[in-house]
Amino acid sequence: MNTVPVTIIEALTTMVTGLRAVFRTQVSRVARACCVDGVLEPELLDRWQLPSYELAFAAAELLAAETVLRRSVAAGSELRARLGVTFAAELCRGLLARLRQVALDLTDDATALDLADDATAPDLTNDATALGELAADSGWQALCRSVLSGRALDEMGRRVCESQEEIGAIDLAPDLLLAQNEFRRVAAQVVGPLATQIHRQDLTVPEALLAPLREMGVFGLSIPESFGGTANDEHADLMMIVVTEALSEASLAAAGSLITRPEILARALLAGGTAQQKSHWLPLIASGDPLCAIAITEPDYGSDVAGLQLKATRVEGGWLLDGAKTWCTFAGKAGLLMVVARTSPDRALGHRGLSLLLVEKPSYDGHAFDHRPSGGGRLLGKAIPTIGYRGMHSFDLSFEQLFVPEANLVGEAAGMGKGFYFTMAGMVGGRMQTAARALGVMRAALLAARRHAADRKVFKAPLASYSLTRAKLARMAAQFAGCRELTYAVGGGAHDGDGRLESSLIKLFACRSAEWLTREALQIHGASGYAEETPVSRYFVDARVLSIFEGAEETLALKVVARGLFEQALETLEAGTPCDASAGTPCGAS
Amino acid sequence: MNTVPVTIIEALTTMVTGLRAVFRTQVSRVARACCVDGVLEPELLDRWQLPSYELAFAAAELLAAETVLRRSVAAGSELRARLGVTFAAELCRGLLARLRQVALDLTDDATALDLADDATAPDLTNDATALGELAADSGWQALCRSVLSGRALDEMGRRVCESQEEIGAIDLAPDLLLAQNEFRRVAAQVVGPLATQIHRQDLTVPEALLAPLREMGVFGLSIPESFGGTANDEHADLMMIVVTEALSEASLAAAGSLITRPEILARALLAGGTAQQKSHWLPLIASGDPLCAIAITEPDYGSDVAGLQLKATRVEGGWLLDGAKTWCTFAGKAGLLMVVARTSPDRALGHRGLSLLLVEKPSYDGHAFDHRPSGGGRLLGKAIPTIGYRGMHSFDLSFEQLFVPEANLVGEAAGMGKGFYFTMAGMVGGRMQTAARALGVMRAALLAARRHAADRKVFKAPLASYSLTRAKLARMAAQFAGCRELTYAVGGGAHDGDGRLESSLIKLFACRSAEWLTREALQIHGASGYAEETPVSRYFVDARVLSIFEGAEETLALKVVARGLFEQALETLEAGTPCDASAGTPCGAS
C-alpha cells in the first residue's frame, strides 16, 4: 500500500515499545511514591506534580505514536504513511527527552522515594540507562537520518506542497464521509464569509448561520432519534467529531463550538433526567431552539468543582438561585442554562452537594442582559471581552433570588446531589469535541500556510521553494495528521471504559498542537499573518483558548490523566505484585 | 558572593566549552558545504537552510550561556547566580538536541558534502560522538539532577516567588540605574493607565503620553548633544536599551516602540546626511517634533531590500515618488517619513540603486489619511488592523507623483545609491532595541504571573504553592534574567565590529523567549488571562509581533546570522588552514 521500508517500521516499533516500557515503570514508581497504604495522597501528588505533568503528556504522545504506527504507517497511502513516520519519529525524539526528565526526577528524589528497601523496585538508574540504549540503537539512528534530517523534512515538505491528496486523510464510514463533505461545504459557504466579521466586530453568532445548522441537525448529534436527535448508536462520537472539525475549520467560535453545549446538557439529561424531562427537553435541544449554555465555573472556583458555591435554596414549588458564575459561554443567546448549584447547605458534602437546575430565559443578542422574570428574582449577564473565541461570548452571570421551578431540577428528587456526576457524563464528549475543534483550527491554519507559501514570492521565488518553509510545512502537516489519526481513533472507541482518560489525552495533545501549529502558520505568513484581515491571525488567537477551557491543561494533566494513570498502575500492582506490607512497602499492599 | 558550588560551575563550563567546540566545527563544515571557490553560493545556502537556521539559534544560545556564566554565575548575588545556572543548564540541554540535529543533517548529507577526500575534514560522526560524550559526562548528569530536576525547579520557583530582590538584576552604571528607575516610574504612572485602553480601542498614541516623553528626551537618545540629543558616548546603546525596556513594560506599542524610528532615522542621517541636513533635522527629531516613521517594506518585498521598487524620478528641483510601501509604523502621526526609494532606473543595481528621501507631511491622528501637498502629488495612508502592537498603527502607503525637494535626499548627490547602507547603520540599534522591547514585555508578563500566582487560590491554596506553578515561574524568571544579561552585555559593547551579528542574535533570542514566556504567563492566569481586561492577554498578542518585525526571524537567522557565521568561518579557514586547492578542497582556498 505504501513504500515505507520495513526497517523504518521496525525501528519505530522497537523505539515505541521501549518507550512504553520505560513509561510504564515510571508511572508505577511515581504512583507508589504518591500513595500511603495503597491510596493516593493529595499532598504527595502535589509534591510530584512535575513528573506527573510530564507523564500525562508522555501518555498522550505514546498513544499518538502507537495509533499512527498501527493506522497510518502500516496501512495508509504513501502520503499518510510517510507523514505518520515523520510524526512518530518526532514524537519519539521528544519522548526520549521527556522520560529522561522524569528519570531525573526519580533519581533526584531517590531517597525521598524510600524505595531502597523495596525489593520489587528495580534500580532507579535503569530508566536512564534504558533510554540511553534506545537512543543509541543503530536502527533508530538510521531512522533519524532518513526521516528527521533536513533533507528528509525538505522532501516531506515538497510532498505536502505538491500532493493533491487530502492531508490527514483517514478511513471514514460512508455516512461520516458524506457528513464531512457536507459540513465542509456549509462551513465554507455559510460560515466562512461571516467568520472574519464576527471575530473582528465581536458580533453574536447570527441567525443566518444558526438557521442552516439547525436544519442540518447539528444540535441533536448526541441525542437519540427517539428524542428527536440524530445520534447514531454505531458512531455517535465520530459523527460529532466530524461535524465539529468541519465547522471549526471555518470558525472555532461561531460554528465549531456550538455543539459543545447541547452535547454536555443532553448527556447530563440522558444520564440523570426523569422520563418527563428527557421527552420534554431533548427534542427542543435537538432542534436548536432554545439554544443552551452551561454554567459551572465560578469566579473563585475554576477547576475546583467540589468548591462551587452558587446556592440553591428550597422554596415553595422550587428553588431560589443566588450567587455568581463566570465564563458561561453563549449565556446571552441561550434560552436554557444548565446551572450547577449547591442544593445542600452542608458544605462538607463537596461535590456531592451539587445538583443541576435548568434556568429558562429569553435569548439576548447583545453583550449584556438583565433578566427579571415574572416569577421573581434577577439574572444579570455581562460578556467578557476576549482576544479570540468571539461570537458566542462568555458571560459573567449574577443570580439574585432567581426562581427555578421544582420540575427543572434534573432528575428531580433522585437528582439531588448528583449534579457533578451528571455533568461528568458530558465531559468525555466535550473533551473529544474540543480535540476536534483543535483539529479544525489546525486544518484551516495548515492549508492557509500552504496556500500562502505557494503564492508568496520572496527573494524572487515562492516561499514554498525554500527548504526551511518546506520543513516547517512537513512538521505541521505531520502534527495535524497525527492528531487527527489519534482523535478519530479514540472517538471511534479506542479507549478503556468510559474514555475519560483517553478523551483527556487527545484534548491535551491536540490543543497544544494547535497552539504550536497556528504559531508556525502565522510565521509563514510574515507580517500579513499579524493583520486582522488575514484569517491566520484569528486561528492564532482562537487556538490560544484551547489549552484553557474544557479543563485547563494543568488540571487535566494532573487531576485527570496522571491520577488516572496512577490509579491504573496501583490496581495492576495490587493485582499482580505480591507485596509484603511488613517489609515497609509504601503502597500496593492491601 | 553566592553559594553556587564550584562543581556546578565547572560542569557548566565544561559543557559550554564542549558545545562551543562542536558548534565551531559544524559552522565550518556547513560553510564549506555552501561555498564554491571560497565564496558562499546562494543556491547552496538555500539547500542548507535547515542546519543554518539551527546554527543561528545555537549561536544565540551559546552566547547567552557563556555570557551568563561569566556575568551572573561567577559574580552575581545568590538569586542572580542561581537563575543563571538554571538558565544555562536549560540552554545546554537544548543545545545538545539542536547540535545533534545539525550533526544528523551533516551525516545524512555526507556524500553531498563531498568531503570524503578532504583530509582537513574530521570524521563526520565525530560531532555526534562528542555530543554523546558531553551528555554522558557524570558532572553534567549530576548538574542536571541538582538544577533541572522537578525538586530543583520547585525550589528555584520558591525563591522567585519569595524574593524581594529584583529578578534579572544586573550591574548598571549610576546614570543608567537612575534612568531605569525614572522611566519605570513614568511608565507606571503615565503609560500604564492608558495602555489597556489604547490597545483595546486601537487608539493613536495620545499627546498625554507623548508630551512627558518628549520632555524626558526620549526621541534624542541616539542623537549627540551637539545636535540637541542626549546620546552619551560612553554607553548610548545601553541608555537606549534601559529606556526602551522600561517603557515597553508598560506598553510595547504605545511607548516602548516610539524610540525605534528616531533611532533608525538619526543613525541614517549621522551616517550619510550633509552637515546642513544634520543640523537641521537632528535637533527636530530629538525634540520629538516632528515624530518620524520609516518606510522600507513594500507589498511584494518584505525582507528582500534589494528588490524594492518604489520609484523616485528626478524632476526640476527634486524628485517625484511613485509606488507603494506597507507596514510603515506611525506613518499617520509622523510628520517626517524616511522613504527608501529607487533613484536609479537601472534595476540591475539592486540595493545600490536605492536612496533615502525625507518626506514632510502633516501629522494625522486617525487610521487613514489623504495628503495632497501644495507642491503636487498625493500620499494616501491606511492603517492595517493588527491583533496587537496597537497604538502607533502600521500603514499601507500609496505615493502618487509626490514631490520631494532636492534638499531632502539624504546626503544629497553623495547619498545617491547609498540608501541601503545608511539604513543598515540604524538597523543594529534597531535590533538591540527590539531585544530590549522583548525584555520589557517579558518583565511585565513575568511579574504579572508571579502576582497572580500569589493572589489566586485554587483547590484552597495559592497557585504559587504548587510545584508545577513554581517550576514554570522558575523557568520564566531564568529565561528573562538570561535574556536580560545577554542583551545588556551586547548593548554594553560585547560584540565584534559594528555588532551586526550580535544584535541579530539577541533580537532572535529575546523575541522567541518573549513569545514563550507570555504564553506561559497567560496560562498561569487561566481563563482570566484570555480576557482583554487582563494585561497579560495584551502581552501575549504584542509579543507575537516581535519575531516578525525588525527582520523576520527566518530572514535574520539565515541571511544575517548564519551567513555572518559562515563568512567568519571561511575567513578563519583561509587565514589558518593550509588548503591545497589542487586536492579538490571545495572552499577555503584563495
Side-chain angles (χ1 to χ4, degrees), chain A residues 164-181:
Chain A
Q164 302 298 310
E165 192 183 327
E166 171 157 0
I167 294 173
I170 44 172
D171 307 318
L172 285 177
D175 60 330
L176 294 172
L177 195 60
L178 200 70
Q180 173 182 285
N181 296 338

Side-chain angles (χ1 to χ4, degrees), chain A residues 46-47 49-50 53 93 101 104-105 107-109 112 141 144-145 148-151 153 200 299-304 327 382 384-390 456-457 459-460 466-469 471-472 475 512 515 519-520 522-523 526-528 530-533 537 540-542 544-545 547-548 553-555 558-559, chain B residues 46-47 49-50 53 93 101 104-105 107-109 112 141 144-145 148-151 153 200 299-304 327 382 384-390 456-457 459-460 466-469 471-472 475 512 515 519-520 522-523 526-528 530-533 537 540-542 544-545 547-548 553-555 558-559:
Chain A
D46 282 351
R47 177 165 156 204
Q49 277 191 344
L50 264 100
Y53 182 75
R93 186 156 66 170
Q101 172 69 41
L104 205 63
D105 291 341
T107 324
D108 174 60
D109 236 330
Q141 294 284 340
C144 285
R145 277 195 298 279
L148 297 180
S149 70
R151 194 162 59 168
L153 289 171
R200 293 188 56 192
D300 291 325
Y301 297 89
S303 304
D304 179 11
W327 296 105
K382 193 167 169 299
I384 305 167
T386 48
I387 56 173
Y389 194 46
R390 296 173 182 164
R456 172 79 179 173
K457 287 195 172 175
F459 296 101
K460 299 196 184 111
Y466 293 102
S467 59
L468 184 57
T469 314
K472 279 182 187 247
R475 286 197 168 112
R512 252 310 170 91
E515 278 189 60
R519 188 268 169 202
E520 291 291 285
L522 193 156
Q523 189 70 20
S528 74
Y530 199 67
E532 292 194 321
E533 281 157 11
S537 70
F540 174 73
V541 287
D542 277 358
R544 188 62 192 85
V545 81
S547 295
I548 297 173
E553 187 174 273
E554 292 78 6
T555 308
L558 298 176
K559 306 275 171 185
Chain B
D46 281 351
R47 176 163 158 208
Q49 278 191 345
L50 264 98
Y53 183 74
R93 185 155 66 170
Q101 172 69 42
L104 206 63
D105 292 341
T107 324
D108 174 60
D109 238 329
Q141 296 284 339
C144 285
R145 278 194 299 280
L148 297 180
S149 70
R151 194 163 58 169
L153 290 171
R200 292 187 57 193
D300 291 326
Y301 297 88
S303 304
D304 179 11
W327 296 104
K382 193 168 169 297
I384 306 167
T386 48
I387 57 173
Y389 194 45
R390 296 172 182 164
R456 172 78 178 173
K457 288 194 172 177
F459 296 101
K460 298 195 185 113
Y466 294 102
S467 59
L468 183 56
T469 314
K472 279 182 188 245
R475 286 196 169 114
R512 252 309 170 93
E515 279 189 60
R519 188 267 170 203
E520 291 292 283
L522 193 156
Q523 189 69 20
S528 74
Y530 198 66
E532 292 195 321
E533 281 156 10
S537 70
F540 174 73
V541 288
D542 277 357
R544 189 62 193 84
V545 82
S547 295
I548 296 174
E553 187 173 273
E554 291 78 5
T555 308
L558 298 176
K559 306 273 172 188

Side-chain angles (χ1 to χ4, degrees), chain A residues 367-386:
Chain A
H367 290 235
F369 63 85
D370 184 353
H371 171 49
R372 299 172 190 238
S374 56
R378 191 175 180 186
L379 173 59
L380 279 165
K382 193 167 169 299
I384 305 167
T386 48

Side-chain angles (χ1 to χ4, degrees), chain A residues 166-167 184 187-188 192 195 244-252 436-452 473 476 480 484 514 517-522 525 534-540 542-543:
Chain A
E166 171 157 0
I167 294 173
R184 280 188 183 167
T244 299
E245 184 192 11
L247 293 177
S248 299
E249 189 179 335
S251 170
L252 173 74
R437 288 191 273 179
L439 289 182
V441 175
M442 277 193 266
R443 186 167 193 267
L446 171 64
L447 297 184
R450 184 172 71 165
R451 225 165 21 238
H452 184 82
L473 286 170
M476 290 158 69
F480 166 68
R484 195 160 197 255
L517 191 147
T518 54
R519 188 268 169 202
E520 291 291 285
L522 193 156
H525 280 75
T534 312
V536 78
S537 70
R538 170 166 54 90
Y539 308 150
F540 174 73
D542 277 358

Side-chain angles (χ1 to χ4, degrees), chain B residues 200-553:
Chain B
R200 292 187 57 193
Q201 297 173 26
D202 202 7
L203 306 177
T204 302
V205 185
E207 276 303 318
L209 197 157
L210 293 167
L213 296 183
R214 279 199 190 95
E215 211 163 294
M216 294 175 79
V218 155
F219 299 94
L221 287 173
S222 314
I223 298 176
E225 287 179 20
S226 52
F227 290 115
T230 55
N232 174 330
D233 281 347
E234 209 187 331
H235 42 232
D237 285 339
L238 279 181
M239 184 58 86
M240 174 189 72
I241 289 172
V242 162
V243 176
T244 299
E245 184 191 13
L247 293 177
S248 299
E249 189 178 337
S251 169
L252 173 74
S257 300
L258 289 170
I259 318 180
T260 319
R261 276 134 280 275
E263 160 81 21
I264 294 173
L265 177 47
R267 302 245 189 191
L269 280 169
L270 287 167
T274 63
Q276 159 71 14
Q277 285 172 334
K278 286 191 254 196
S279 63
H280 174 70
W281 288 114
L282 290 174
L284 296 174
I285 297 168
S287 74
D289 186 16
L291 297 162
C292 48
I294 309 293
I296 303 179
T297 305
E298 296 182 4
D300 291 326
Y301 297 88
S303 304
D304 179 11
V305 175
L308 293 176
Q309 301 207 52
L310 186 121
K311 195 172 61 177
T313 313
R314 197 189 283 277
V315 292
E316 170 82 29
W319 301 84
L320 289 185
L321 297 184
D322 280 285
K325 291 283 180 186
T326 189
W327 296 104
C328 181
T329 302
F330 222 29
K333 189 80 178 170
L336 185 64
L337 304 183
M338 181 190 102
V339 180
V340 180
R342 192 162 289 284
T343 42
S344 162
D346 181 1
R347 304 257 319 147
L349 284 173
H351 57 69
R352 291 185 305 278
L354 302 171
S355 307
L356 302 186
L357 287 153
L358 300 180
V359 171
E360 297 169 76
K361 64 174 268 298
S363 171
Y364 300 97
D365 261 333
H367 290 235
F369 64 85
D370 184 351
H371 170 49
R372 298 173 191 237
S374 56
R378 191 175 181 187
L379 173 59
L380 279 164
K382 193 168 169 297
I384 306 167
T386 48
I387 57 173
Y389 194 45
R390 296 172 182 164
M392 307 177 80
H393 315 310
S394 294
F395 284 75
D396 275 329
L397 296 179
S398 165
F399 295 80
E400 299 170 14
Q401 301 269 303
L402 189 79
F403 178 75
V404 185
E406 188 74 49
N408 285 18
L409 174 70
V410 174
E412 296 193 357
M416 280 288 289
K418 299 207 179 118
F420 175 74
Y421 305 99
F422 298 161
T423 310
M424 282 304 112
M427 288 300 166
V428 170
R431 281 170 200 152
M432 284 188 192
Q433 216 201 35
T434 304
R437 290 192 271 179
L439 289 181
V441 176
M442 277 193 266
R443 186 166 194 267
L446 171 64
L447 297 184
R450 185 172 70 165
R451 226 165 20 240
H452 184 83
D455 295 344
R456 172 78 178 173
K457 288 194 172 177
V458 289
F459 296 101
K460 298 195 185 113
L463 254 182
S465 68
Y466 294 102
S467 59
L468 183 56
T469 314
R470 287 212 287 240
K472 279 182 188 245
L473 286 170
R475 286 196 169 114
M476 290 159 69
Q479 191 77 15
F480 167 67
C483 283
R484 196 159 196 255
E485 203 77 85
L486 175 65
T487 302
Y488 278 81
V490 171
H495 56 73
D496 292 338
D498 63 359
R500 189 157 176 259
L501 190 67
E502 290 82 358
S503 67
S504 301
L505 290 182
I506 62 175
K507 194 271 180 188
L508 276 183
F509 187 64
C511 294
R512 252 309 170 93
S513 300
E515 279 189 60
W516 170 79
L517 192 147
T518 54
R519 188 267 170 203
E520 291 292 283
L522 193 156
Q523 189 69 20
I524 286 178
H525 280 76
S528 74
Y530 198 66
E532 292 195 321
E533 281 156 10
T534 313
V536 78
S537 70
R538 171 165 53 89
Y539 308 149
F540 174 73
V541 288
D542 277 357
R544 189 62 193 84
V545 82
L546 294 165
S547 295
I548 296 174
F549 70 3
E550 295 290 326
E553 187 173 273

